[in-house]
Amino acid sequence: MTEPLLFILAMDQRDSIEQKLYELQSAPTPEQSASIAANKLLVYRGLLDAVPGVPEGARPGFLVDEQYGGSPAVLAAADSRVSVAMPIEASGQEWFDFAYGHDWRTHAEFFGAEHPKVLIRDNPGLDEQHRAEQAGKIATISAWARKAGLEFIVELLVPAGDDDLAEVDGDTDRYDREIRPGLTVRAIEYLQDHGVEPAIWKIEGLAQREDAERVAAAARRDGRDARCIVLGRHAPQEQLDEWLRVAAPVEGFIGFAIGRSVWWDALEGRLAEDLDEAAARKQVADNYTHFVQTYLAARA
């Protein structure tokens, strides 16, 4: 039986929207908060415009935060065509922390999201105490999600350390190609050994098929049933297309979760008043559809 595909439009960014898109230097005003919320709803509507073009056997998803995305979260939860994912982590933190402290379970359950999600940064060269403390928190979420029958997503970023960059003469592209894949496998295995057992690993793009195969094998180590999806990292379309083409044919990869590469330019156009709402929605729908078609073509 063919594994169902999952194509998530990620719109759970908070700090980056405030600081980089809206260029805020302080906490948003009520008017600015309302504008951010309205733009999250616009992006969701753009996704809905694209949903009829998603083929059978593939499921659209929407990843959105409670802070600014309550309206689309409610709408998506009521729409049987769309899988809802929502973040548990506080935004903009170096190490994982809960967005709502000890009350995280109440918030995680409130909207009925099928995919609770956390973003973490890990690298075998980072401080061991911080790594272990972070893994322990994620393991708690992992156990809760499995007991609740939810498909937990761990978004894993593996930033380069100084020693990593020294190996490639400071070339970040070489780090991505030559070093990050192996560190990603080691980070997954470390987290698994510390009780982190997501249904889905959200992974940075890989340049070579054999690296995607190594990562997928790590996710399924020792009989585990986890799958992988490709994250966007606000990469240019050409770069993202290549990452999707590498991952799509690999057993264990089932789709993507792409955000800013789909909607950033459209929202910049809205804020600059260069695009009306209909044009911005169309741009979101077209970009999302492009990545879906790229993935499907590579998988075929």
Side-chain angles (χ1 to χ4, degrees):
M1 183 176 178
T2 303
E3 181 106 48
L5 301 178
L6 179 63
F7 298 129
I8 296 175
L9 200 170
M11 218 326 173
D12 64 323
Q13 293 81 359
R14 289 150 280 169
D15 277 20
S16 61
I17 286 178
E18 293 172 355
Q19 297 168 15
K20 296 179 180 178
L21 185 62
Y22 278 76
E23 299 180 345
L24 303 181
Q25 303 299 316
S26 57
T29 65
E31 291 79 9
Q32 290 165 337
S33 293
S35 175
I36 295 171
N39 277 324
K40 295 215 174 207
L41 185 57
L42 182 155
V43 170
Y44 176 64
R45 287 172 171 157
L47 171 66
L48 292 184
D49 293 340
V51 164
V54 176
E56 187 176 351
R59 187 161 171 80
F62 194 61
L63 169 59
V64 71
D65 57 290
E66 177 179 338
Q67 181 179 357
Y68 293 119
S71 292
V74 169
L75 292 172
D79 191 328
S80 61
R81 300 172 298 169
V82 180
S83 287
V84 184
M86 297 189 77
I88 292 176
E89 78 277 356
S91 184
Q93 304 297 307
E94 180 179 1
W95 293 96
F96 171 84
D97 202 3
F98 293 99
Y100 297 100
H102 295 298
D103 203 27
W104 65 268
R105 289 178 185 83
T106 301
H107 288 266
E109 293 167 356
F110 183 80
F111 291 90
E114 300 164 58
H115 301 287
K117 165 255 170 188
V118 299
L119 179 151
I120 59 172
R121 295 166 180 83
D122 196 18
N123 181 312
L126 292 175
D127 178 79
E128 174 57 31
Q129 182 177 345
H130 282 118
R131 294 187 75 204
E133 289 175 353
Q134 175 171 263
K137 293 176 181 178
I138 309 305
T140 298
I141 301 169
S142 177
W144 160 80
R146 282 197 171 250
K147 186 174 181 180
L150 302 174
E151 292 205 322
F152 179 39
I153 298 175
V154 171
E155 178 177 358
L156 176 61
L157 303 181
V158 185
D162 292 341
D163 291 344
D164 301 324
L165 289 175
E167 285 189 43
V168 290
D169 301 319
D171 187 330
T172 55
D173 289 336
R174 281 187 60 199
Y175 167 75
D176 277 342
R177 290 194 311 270
E178 299 173 19
I179 297 178
R180 177 165 56 76
L183 295 180
T184 299
V185 168
R186 289 172 61 193
I188 288 173
E189 292 176 347
Y190 174 89
L191 290 163
Q192 290 169 336
D193 290 344
H194 285 74
V196 177
E197 300 288 357
I200 298 172
W201 292 93
K202 185 180 172 189
I203 298 294
E204 295 171 279
L206 299 157
Q208 300 179 80
R209 177 165 178 161
E210 53 265 36
D211 290 327
E213 290 171 344
R214 289 169 62 202
V215 168
R220 295 186 166 192
R221 182 170 67 119
D222 297 334
R224 291 173 172 87
D225 59 357
R227 292 94 74 210
C228 299
I229 56 178
V230 180
L231 61 84
R233 213 170 73 174
H234 203 176
Q237 186 179 93
E238 299 77 17
Q239 177 68 78
L240 254 176
D241 285 349
E242 185 57 31
W243 287 342
L244 296 180
R245 291 187 187 111
V246 167
V250 174
E251 184 179 357
F253 274 85
I254 60 164
F256 61 69
I258 299 173
R260 291 169 294 175
S261 302
V262 172
W263 50 257
W264 190 273
D265 290 347
L267 294 193
E268 278 192 331
R270 283 291 289 150
L271 293 175
E273 299 184 348
D274 294 330
L275 294 177
D276 62 20
E277 180 171 346
R281 277 175 58 174
K282 184 177 187 304
Q283 189 168 321
V284 169
D286 288 349
N287 288 341
Y288 174 82
T289 298
H290 168 86
F291 292 126
V292 169
Q293 292 175 343
T294 298
Y295 194 97
L296 291 173
R299 192 172 178 88

